[in-house]
Amino acid sequence: MEIVFVVAIAENGIIGAGNAIPWRLKSDMARFKALTIGRPVIMGRKTFESLPGRRPLPNRTNIVITRDPAYRAAGAVVTTSAADAGAVALGDALRRSAAEIAVIGGAEIYRQWLDRADRLEITEVHARPDGDTHFDIDRARWDETGRVRHPAGPDDSADFSYVTYRRRRSH
């Protein structure tokens, strides 16, 4: 089972500002959907609460990790640990015959899962916005295996590139 991070990162490492994304990339939404549809998606509470309408992403099992054992999220599975989220995601992926589990944020969830990640699907945003949440890729641990640059579309605030990284394996 592959663990795949799906994350948009600005050139300065910013992924968020005030629990929001500091750019608009409507062009990227189709890719996000393609990478996550039919798969379990793991996210933190703040990421879940930032979804449009605070509703789960459709056609995906939404798994929310929170420290609050009383937290409830309609239409999502709520867990209080990365281990529990992983068990739920694995069972769901096997049931769906999905080969991947998507981790979609935020920063704390990425930190908890980084050692388990097999692949990073990055939308590299060609901008340098202000923000308070970062994601840095340790190039010594990852090999870039694909890159496609795109100009900003009519509903995008910046040019962007789709970049795929695979974990470097020690031999």
Side-chain angles (χ1 to χ4, degrees):
M1 188 69 48
E2 266 200 337
I3 305 296
V4 180
F5 279 26
V6 181
V7 58
I9 308 172
E11 290 174 342
N12 57 354
I14 294 293
I15 63 171
N19 202 34
I21 297 172
W23 54 77
R24 179 169 165 77
L25 283 184
K26 192 170 183 184
S27 298
D28 187 43
M29 296 317 296
R31 180 172 186 260
F32 177 84
K33 187 175 180 179
L35 288 168
T36 60
I37 202 93
R39 296 169 179 85
V41 291
I42 295 173
M43 70 193 91
R45 177 191 54 79
K46 290 180 192 174
T47 298
F48 180 79
E49 290 179 354
S50 74
L51 296 176
R54 290 178 69 161
R55 294 190 3 235
L57 297 168
N59 302 311
R60 288 155 270 208
T61 299
N62 290 240
I63 303 163
V64 179
I65 302 173
T66 178
R67 290 181 196 93
D68 179 358
Y71 183 79
R72 298 293 174 261
V77 177
V78 177
T79 69
T80 56
S81 72
D84 288 349
V88 170
L90 179 60
D92 182 68
L94 293 171
R95 181 182 59 77
R96 291 175 177 266
S97 298
E100 299 170 351
I101 295 167
V103 176
I104 64 168
E108 179 61 27
I109 303 306
Y110 290 132
R111 274 191 288 281
Q112 289 176 15
W113 283 81
L114 188 58
D115 288 340
R116 295 184 235 182
D118 300 294
R119 192 172 88 234
L120 308 177
E121 291 293 346
I122 305 298
T123 299
E124 203 173 80
V125 182
H126 300 300
R128 303 181 74 76
D130 290 333
D132 53 20
T133 312
H134 295 80
F135 186 101
D136 297 308
I137 298 169
D138 179 354
R139 310 275 182 196
R141 298 179 68 191
W142 299 92
D143 290 319
E144 183 177 315
T145 61
R147 175 181 291 270
V148 179
R149 188 174 176 108
H150 297 274
D155 293 318
D156 300 330
S157 62
D159 292 351
F160 56 96
S161 296
Y162 294 143
V163 186
T164 300
Y165 293 91
R166 288 212 165 267
R167 181 177 295 283
R168 186 171 286 164
R169 302 291 176 200
S170 55
H171 298 285

